[in-house]
Amino acid sequence: MLTPPDGLSEQLLGAALDRHWHVAASSIIYRPVGFGSHHWEVADSAGSRWFVTADELHNKRVWLTESLDTAFGRLRSALAAATDLRASGLSFVVAPVPAADGEPLVRAGDEFSLAVYPFVAGRSFAWGEFSGPAHRQAVLDLLIEVHTAPPRARRRALTDDYAIPHRDELEAAIGSAAPPGTGQAGPLTQRAATLLAANQVPLRRLLARYDDLAGQARAQPARRVLTHGEPHPGNTMLTADGWRLIDWDTVVVAEPERDLWSLDPGDGSVLARYREATGVRPLAPALELYRIRWDLADIAVDASRFRRPHQGTADDEASWELLRSLVEQVSAGS
């Protein structure tokens, strides 16, 4: 995220680090990197450096009426699976540092979760294209290790339920050009509501296609493996000791295509190599399923964002541009 969150001050952050990780912060610097979570670089009085991540639990809910406790529990299961992967010998997994109670994350107030990671020095990458074939192959190799990890690594992971986060709010938004409170939630509420309502036909068609594909996937539970969920270039780092995979907050047991749909360059080469290495043939319907869900999830998250109070920050403007481009893309492809 580009701006620090409201409601989580540096004082509260520092107190939580001291209480739960016994880290006495000497400096706390906000880092506007990634999108979806908030990040800080922290140095302690002993000279160690840490990377701290906070998530707004309202944004981690699947449904509008879901409790923040349930959202927190889902995130805890994902990060617990990352620590189990690391413990099983996968050294490329950048897992959270356990808190004093052994948990991979803690609550910071009612509305935030907080996780601490070792500071990793190396080359970072932006979301988007891989830097080259070697980069893509390296990520495939890491994912094969995740997918074939021993059963104990998935013992605390949840199984994909195929829910699209904030789908209820998306469906409400496309049903009305003027939802209750329009013009009051924030400067982008009316604009987003009009965009979604104007494109409700292609959006409903895409939701129906997704539901059909999800039904097909549910009928094949034996294919499921432990998945990262977002193995794009922005979640990789190249260090002096090799490649690292970061941001494990979307881990679930799911079809392998959840990690493969965005990895193949379009010529089938990555999918062929995956089949050679694992004996599992990636399926076209499952690849389509997760490709569609990625776009629908982004649209639904932003639909939710603009139906709630917002100020028109840089993060809001970036979300609006993403929402507009995705909806236009869906409409053009219908």
Side-chain angles (χ1 to χ4, degrees), residues 34 36 52 57-58 61-63 67 89 91 100 127 146 153 182 232 235 249 256 260 269 279 286 296 315:
V52 178
L57 294 174
H58 285 284
R61 295 178 301 177
V62 172
W63 307 107
S67 72
S91 60
W127 190 95
V146 173
T182 294
H232 56 72
N235 282 338
D249 59 331
L260 299 176
S269 58
L296 285 174
D315 287 319

Side-chain angles (χ1 to χ4, degrees), residues 263-286:
L263 189 60
D264 190 86
D267 60 5
S269 58
V270 165
L271 304 179
R273 288 196 293 271
Y274 182 85
R275 182 178 183 179
E276 291 171 3
T278 65
V280 175
R281 178 173 65 89
L283 302 180

Side-chain angles (χ1 to χ4, degrees), residues 178-305:
T182 294
Q184 300 175 15
L188 292 165
T189 300
Q190 181 63 67
R191 204 186 310 176
T194 301
L195 173 72
L196 293 168
N199 291 277
Q200 63 176 286
V201 172
L203 287 169
R204 290 189 190 281
R205 187 180 298 122
L206 193 62
L207 285 165
R209 175 59 178 165
Y210 176 79
D211 290 340
D212 178 61
L213 293 168
Q216 295 179 43
R218 285 191 180 93
Q220 303 181 75
R223 299 187 70 250
R224 295 173 186 155
V225 296
L226 191 65
T227 62
H228 178 280
E230 298 184 354
H232 56 72
N235 282 338
T236 65
M237 292 186 68
L238 182 57
T239 74
D241 297 320
W243 289 95
R244 297 290 183 269
L245 198 53
I246 63 175
D247 284 2
W248 292 85
D249 59 331
T250 55
V251 174
V252 293
V253 175
E255 286 66 27
E257 290 84 358
R258 184 172 186 255
D259 284 339
L260 299 176
W261 73 267
S262 63
L263 189 60
D264 190 86
D267 60 5
S269 58
V270 165
L271 304 179
R273 288 196 293 271
Y274 182 85
R275 182 178 183 179
E276 291 171 3
T278 65
V280 175
R281 178 173 65 89
L283 302 180
L287 292 167
E288 183 185 1
L289 167 74
Y290 287 107
R291 185 179 300 113
I292 289 175
R293 185 159 83 169
W294 184 274
D295 288 345
L296 285 174
D298 277 346
I299 291 171
V301 165
D302 288 335
S304 170
R305 182 187 191 98

